[in-house]
Amino acid sequence: MGGQPPARLAEALVVAVRGVEDELAAESVDVSTWGWTLTFLENKPIVTLDDGTSIHLDDAGRAQVTNPDDAAEED
């Protein structure tokens, strides 16, 4: 967390990742052992945090954050 993102990662994703990291820091969540995983699905980047939070780009290039708590509330 807080590391240098890959150069080819879209700026919208980088901003969204920093936003999630800032929220966790503001909530004093211990993320010292957490990390992000970058995957490409059909040439589209998806970043996933160890807690299940994921970020992808929509068709307009905007970052969409999915929080694992949001999915649990839908059940």
Side-chain angles (χ1 to χ4, degrees):
M1 303 246 322
Q4 191 66 20
R8 68 181 184 162
L9 196 59
E11 184 65 21
L13 282 177
V14 173
V15 169
V17 165
R18 297 292 184 237
V20 169
E21 291 178 349
D22 290 346
E23 287 178 23
L24 292 169
E27 295 171 3
S28 299
V29 176
D30 179 11
V31 295
S32 59
T33 61
W34 293 9
W36 291 96
T37 301
L38 172 61
T39 332
F40 284 86
L41 180 60
E42 296 182 2
N43 222 16
K44 297 178 183 176
I46 301 170
V47 290
T48 308
L49 187 57
D50 286 345
D51 76 340
T53 301
S54 66
I55 307 171
H56 71 278
L57 296 176
D58 65 13
D59 291 337
R62 294 180 300 252
Q64 301 296 310
V65 179
T66 302
N67 185 311
D69 294 336
D70 295 343
E73 291 173 6
E74 293 175 5
D75 291 340

